[in-house]
Amino acid sequence: MAVSSGEDKVDRERRLASRQAGEQGLLFDSAVAMPNASAGYRGPTACAAAGITYRQLDYWARTGLVEPSIRPAHGSGSQRLYGFRDILVLKVVKRLLDAGVSLQQIRTAVTHLQDRGVEHLATITLMSDGVSVYECTSADEVVDLLQGGQGVFGIALGRVWQEVEGSLASLPAENAEPYLETRPSRDELSARRRARKTG
């Protein structure tokens, strides 16, 4: 009986870990339904779907952590209107905070997520060691991170997507189309964010 080399054992362990990562849902690469782009959600609905308090929602919007993409507040009495993607990011922020990740690292992760297309978000798994946040888009990347001792927990955005979708199905929405025509495009918003940081 031949004795396998240490390298073969590492390869076997890597394949097994990769398979288990997929089985356990660390990565969610199944197709998800695209959200209704013309649906907007008021603050209380966004809070209920994301599992956060209104105080958190208000603070994060005022400090620019997660701003509503459909309609921002314009003075006293105006209502913010959040899109599906905003609520997805709110829920991710809550999970990262609950795991003890610093607000500075969360801001970096949020900026990165907001620059990604909606269709790519469901294929991302965020891994963190409680200090830094890493983006993984394949089981191999998750395994590499775990083998390097960097990853401690993961948040599969596809799973979060499904949770938000399920929550919003039973919550009130309103037509966002009148606001979508007057707001800047996401590309324009991203360009403004980058300009603000550099200049």
Side-chain angles (χ1 to χ4, degrees), residues 71-144:
R71 183 179 64 200
H74 294 293
S76 180
S78 65
Q79 292 280 326
R80 295 182 184 105
L81 205 57
Y82 290 83
F84 178 88
R85 176 196 193 108
D86 304 326
I87 297 171
L88 179 73
V89 173
L90 287 168
K91 194 167 184 83
V92 169
V93 168
K94 168 84 163 81
R95 293 222 174 141
L96 290 170
L97 278 174
D98 288 349
V101 177
S102 75
L103 202 50
Q104 181 181 359
Q105 286 295 320
I106 291 172
R107 281 188 187 281
T108 302
V110 165
T111 300
H112 183 72
L113 290 177
Q114 288 173 334
D115 289 340
R116 299 296 291 252
V118 158
E119 63 279 359
H120 296 113
L121 290 178
T123 64
I124 295 172
T125 296
L126 295 179
M127 300 293 288
S128 179
D129 54 7
V131 178
S132 299
V133 179
Y134 307 92
E135 176 188 315
C136 299
T137 55
S138 72
D140 287 339
E141 289 177 351
V142 171
V143 172
D144 287 343

Side-chain angles (χ1 to χ4, degrees), residues 36-65:
N36 180 356
S38 64
Y41 306 93
R42 292 183 181 230
T45 301
C47 290
I52 60 173
T53 66
Y54 193 83
R55 179 179 236 162
Q56 287 173 308
L57 181 79
D58 184 55
Y59 178 72
W60 295 346
R62 283 187 293 109
T63 59
L65 179 62

